Amino acid sequence: MTASTEAPRRTRIQQEKRELILEAALEVFSANGFRGSTIDQIAEAAGMSKPNLLYYFRRKEDIHETLMERLLETWLAPLRELDDIGDPMTELRSYIRRKLEMARDFPRESRLFANEILQGAPRIMPLLAGELKTLVDEKASVIKGWMRAGKIARTDPWHLIFSIWATTQHYADFDVQVRAVLGPNRGGDGRFEDAARFLEQLFLDGLKPKG
Amino acid sequence: MTASTEAPRRTRIQQEKRELILEAALEVFSANGFRGSTIDQIAEAAGMSKPNLLYYFRRKEDIHETLMERLLETWLAPLRELDDIGDPMTELRSYIRRKLEMARDFPRESRLFANEILQGAPRIMPLLAGELKTLVDEKASVIKGWMRAGKIARTDPWHLIFSIWATTQHYADFDVQVRAVLGPNRGGDGRFEDAARFLEQLFLDGLKPKG
DNA sequence: CTAACGTTTGTCCAATCGGTCAAAATTTGC
DNA sequence: GCAAATTTTGACCGATTGGACAAACGTTAG
């Protein structure tokens, strides 16, 4: 085993405080972006002084890097679960549902990711072209199989995955706009159920009238 | 007419230089966000010194504000064109096509807008809840009419509009990711045509297999 | 108790930021 | 061609930033 893969030995306090800092950093980074966030803001959100925070993470970038590494795993989990064994249409439907639930329950993670991509993904470009591409290609193959078997309509699997990402993450990344447009009545907690119903119909039947 | 609506008298040089600055600012802001961009960066991109730039726009925020005002008009133009007079399915299809063309031809504008919304839309919140909501509500009524007439499937018009925004703008805002995942072959110039074909099929028929 | 180790803090620093200002250079109106 | 107005520049300022550092404080094992 190489030195770089060894987990550093850490005290109980170090583990706890590092978690505290990462939680605070997620809050701050996702709201202001990397360059828009200051170490002071994160330190205050974590309830400690700036030098104290820098004792646990030596550089601002280290916090962001750690955050992004963790994020990517949980973020891609739903796609990893997309499996060949179930009914294709059901599999896709539950993938969409899971992604929408993540947008609802982890909007900060979604925004942090969106921020990074928007700025050209300077810190995670290798991951996108490597691990992410591999995973998507793999799942695209699964979907292609479903198409060949006549289980779902023939179309482009990659763009299908993009469209699922786009439509679901929209409810986290553009939440302010969604709520502003829906207004006080329909923009409340029910908006995610409305979105779920709409997306299910869209991906199942499209807009062509029945009959 | 109130004083605030009067266009300030400007010399030829002022008009030209202001345009130059706004173009440079669009480049810088869309790549780095508001707080991530510096006046020096914009000045350099515009080929002038910082004090010179500040002679035309007294504050950094003034540049951003002017940019956002202009942007919103052109950005909403496609939706304004969505008209009751044509065939509903054709109207929607060309709206999607127009939005996708904007993502292809004006990605910086899309990213600037995305950046603003992601940060909570601090500078354009009133516009979202006012002008934008009014426009969307209006077009939602048009779409509702189409549904009542049986021209398109019954579903939620607001979320339909969101899904069109999300899927099309995705190709501008997440362009880096799209190209990374598609790879060198399919991530080239043809990706927008592939996306157009896919989206047309998605919004028309969904994924349910034919027959 | 105490020495070693881990944690926290106050102070400080160089770099960068948005923005000012007066003076110099240039353009424009007559 | 010249005076007035406009444009450009270099020098500068206070505030904020990421980060360094040594000293003080706390904890823990023997």
Side-chain angles (χ1 to χ4, degrees):
Chain A
M1 186 171 288
T2 67
S4 65
T5 58
E6 277 177 35
R9 220 174 293 265
R10 296 213 174 92
T11 67
R12 177 185 52 87
I13 294 186
Q14 274 173 352
Q15 286 182 16
E16 289 173 7
K17 290 295 171 77
R18 282 175 65 96
E19 287 308 314
L20 212 75
I21 292 169
L22 289 172
E23 157 66 24
L26 175 59
E27 184 74 26
V28 176
F29 279 145
S30 67
N32 306 108
F34 180 76
R35 294 203 51 186
S37 305
T38 69
I39 303 183
D40 275 309
Q41 284 178 310
I42 300 172
E44 198 198 326
M48 62 180 73
S49 65
K50 181 170 68 170
N52 197 181
L53 182 148
L54 286 167
Y55 171 71
Y56 294 102
F57 290 90
R58 297 181 61 188
R59 296 178 315 147
K60 183 184 172 186
E61 264 203 82
D62 291 346
I63 311 175
H64 191 265
E65 200 181 306
T66 307
L67 220 43
M68 290 300 298
E69 278 168 12
R70 292 194 182 189
L71 170 54
L72 225 94
E73 279 317 295
T74 60
W75 206 239
L76 293 179
L79 184 55
R80 285 192 211 282
E81 287 179 35
L82 192 73
D83 220 328
D84 209 356
I85 49 173
D87 170 59
M89 211 60 228
T90 312
E91 279 292 314
L92 280 175
R93 197 158 41 213
S94 55
Y95 176 50
I96 294 169
R97 188 170 35 86
R98 270 195 291 266
K99 281 291 286 179
L100 192 59
E101 280 166 3
M102 292 197 65
R104 182 193 60 195
D105 299 334
F106 306 105
R108 299 178 307 176
E109 282 83 350
S110 184
R111 280 185 212 121
L112 181 65
F113 192 73
N115 253 310
E116 177 69 11
I117 304 287
L118 254 184
Q119 321 275 307
R123 282 167 259 271
I124 58 164
M125 191 48 176
L127 278 172
L128 298 187
E131 197 181 350
L132 178 62
K133 176 172 168 41
T134 305
L135 176 63
V136 174
D137 285 348
E138 187 188 313
K139 297 305 180 181
S141 284
V142 172
I143 295 174
K144 265 187 176 169
W146 293 341
M147 291 175 185
R148 270 195 299 270
K151 298 289 189 180
I152 67 172
R154 279 181 193 277
T155 185
D156 188 307
W158 287 272
H159 289 278
L160 170 56
I161 291 174
F162 293 154
S163 71
I164 294 174
W165 289 350
T167 49
T168 54
Q169 290 173 13
H170 187 82
Y171 290 97
D173 304 342
F174 288 73
D175 182 53
V176 203
Q177 180 178 257
V178 166
R179 278 188 288 112
V181 167
L182 289 180
N185 298 332
R186 305 202 56 236
D189 293 339
R191 67 189 188 279
F192 282 98
E193 287 153 38
D194 294 341
R197 260 191 300 275
F198 168 78
L199 289 180
E200 175 155 349
Q201 180 179 344
L202 173 65
F203 281 95
L204 190 67
D205 293 316
L207 298 175
K208 203 161 57 180
K210 294 194 176 185
Chain B
M1 186 170 291
T2 66
S4 65
T5 59
E6 278 177 33
R9 219 175 295 263
R10 296 212 174 92
T11 67
R12 175 187 53 86
I13 294 185
Q14 274 172 353
Q15 287 181 17
E16 289 173 5
K17 291 296 171 79
R18 282 175 63 96
E19 288 307 315
L20 212 73
I21 292 169
L22 289 173
E23 158 66 24
L26 175 59
E27 186 73 25
V28 176
F29 279 145
S30 67
N32 306 108
F34 180 76
R35 294 203 50 188
S37 306
T38 69
I39 302 184
D40 275 308
Q41 284 178 310
I42 300 172
E44 197 197 327
M48 63 179 73
S49 65
K50 180 170 69 170
N52 197 184
L53 181 148
L54 285 167
Y55 170 73
Y56 294 103
F57 290 90
R58 298 180 59 189
R59 298 177 313 146
K60 182 184 173 186
E61 266 204 78
D62 291 348
I63 311 175
H64 192 265
E65 199 180 309
T66 308
L67 220 43
M68 289 301 295
E69 278 168 11
R70 291 195 183 187
L71 169 56
L72 225 95
E73 280 316 297
T74 60
W75 206 240
L76 292 180
L79 184 56
R80 283 192 212 283
E81 286 178 37
L82 191 74
D83 220 329
D84 208 355
I85 48 175
D87 169 59
M89 211 60 228
T90 311
E91 279 292 314
L92 280 174
R93 197 160 39 213
S94 56
Y95 176 50
I96 293 169
R97 189 171 36 86
R98 270 196 292 266
K99 280 292 286 180
L100 192 60
E101 280 166 2
M102 292 196 66
R104 182 192 61 194
D105 299 334
F106 305 104
R108 300 177 306 177
E109 283 82 351
S110 184
R111 282 185 211 122
L112 180 65
F113 192 73
N115 254 309
E116 178 69 10
I117 305 286
L118 254 184
Q119 321 276 308
R123 281 167 262 270
I124 58 164
M125 191 48 178
L127 278 172
L128 298 187
E131 197 181 348
L132 178 63
K133 175 172 168 42
T134 306
L135 177 63
V136 174
D137 284 349
E138 188 187 312
K139 298 304 181 181
S141 283
V142 172
I143 295 173
K144 266 188 177 169
W146 293 341
M147 291 176 186
R148 270 193 300 271
K151 299 287 189 181
I152 67 172
R154 280 181 192 277
T155 185
D156 188 308
W158 286 272
H159 289 277
L160 170 57
I161 292 174
F162 293 154
S163 70
I164 294 175
W165 289 350
T167 49
T168 55
Q169 289 173 12
H170 187 81
Y171 290 97
D173 304 342
F174 288 74
D175 182 52
V176 204
Q177 180 179 255
V178 166
R179 278 187 287 113
V181 167
L182 288 181
N185 298 332
R186 304 201 58 234
D189 292 341
R191 66 189 189 278
F192 282 98
E193 288 152 36
D194 294 341
R197 259 192 301 276
F198 168 79
L199 289 180
E200 175 155 349
Q201 180 179 344
L202 172 66
F203 281 96
L204 191 67
D205 292 317
L207 297 176
K208 203 161 56 179
K210 294 198 174 180

